[in-house]
Amino acid sequence: MQTRLDTTRIRAARRVIDPTFLDTPLYRCEALDPALGCRVSIKLETANPVRSFKGRGTELVASQLAGDGQRHVVCASAGNLGQALAWSGRNRGIDVTVVASRTATVAKLDRIRALGARLELVNGDHEAARERAAAIARYDGIRLLEDSLDTETCEGAATIGLELADPALLGAEPSFDTVLIALGGGAMATGVGHVLKALAPGVEVIGVQPLGAPAMTRSWHQRRVVTTDTTDTIADGVAGRYPIPAVLEDLLQVADDAVLVREASIVAGMRLLLDRAGLVVEPSAALGIAAVLEDRDRFAGRHVVTIVCGSNVDLDAYHRWIGAAARYGS
């Protein structure tokens, strides 16, 4: 298996990442089993100061910047990466600029500001933000952090895989046979997938993406980059249109499948996580549950791990979605 990632570096990353992001809860959630028809375990990546897995990668980036004496960095973000980079940069005296779409979740934008980053909003979607961030980096001569393309973001996320599959950390061999991973730019899927294929090759790695933002999934199935003109999903954290070729190459090596799920299933998954697990999550974090809801026969009798990857949600929108799920009997 040849990817851009390196298991030795991933192990070393645990010594760099602030422990507040490491060893997040992994537990069987039996209350979900009856609704899903399989055994379900949750890897809870929301139990940290930025409420998403992104801090694992930004810790690596900020540590390297500080070590090199660099004091400025810019990124494009739908919200979670920007919060994480702001947190990691603030702790190391690094000035952080985040570029985001004006349509991004307000709660995420407010948190970026609260963490001391400079926030620039652009018209258009996340791809417009990526273009603007690259322009700022060129003009100011500063580091551009590109999520998923920069291997630090993937190898930081890959430490989740160590916590899932490394007997030295678990104290035992992993008991699950499937891991469901939200698929957007690909950092988490390629990182966790890389580790699982190295340490637990029998575990099936499945990326899950919304039907309304299918670019990376279509690319995986066609084994070439497929772009889309628009996205239409509430799962803003995974709503990219232009897969990165190098990331797709990695994903082709480590993912066993990539599936698309409907918006109604995402909302139903959010409702289940609230009702059965007591978890308030953003739509991207419910993609794994949505995948099981849409294909119970495939997962029947299996032990499935779903990575709950973020809980930065606009509460007004959340209440609307959960209310809709209740009305439709989900």
Side-chain angles (χ1 to χ4, degrees), residues 184-240:
M188 182 164 58
T190 57
V192 174
H194 175 95
V195 171
L196 291 176
K197 292 309 173 189
L199 300 182
V203 172
E204 187 176 27
V205 176
I206 303 175
V208 188
Q209 199 164 39
L211 187 62
M216 186 62 93
T217 296
R218 290 181 180 173
S219 298
W220 186 89
H221 283 281
Q222 297 186 33
R223 303 187 70 84
R224 63 179 180 86
V225 171
V226 177
T227 63
T228 62
D229 293 331
T230 60
T231 61
D232 183 15
T233 179
I234 61 172
D236 59 300
V238 294

Side-chain angles (χ1 to χ4, degrees), residues 21 112-113 163 166 173 211 227 237 247 267-268 278 280 308 317:
F21 294 107
I112 290 170
R113 294 187 185 98
E163 293 165 21
D166 191 344
E173 295 292 332
L211 187 62
T227 63
V247 181
V267 172
V280 174
V308 175

Side-chain angles (χ1 to χ4, degrees), residues 281-293:
V281 305
E282 60 188 86
S284 300
L287 288 170
I289 301 297
V292 181
L293 286 172

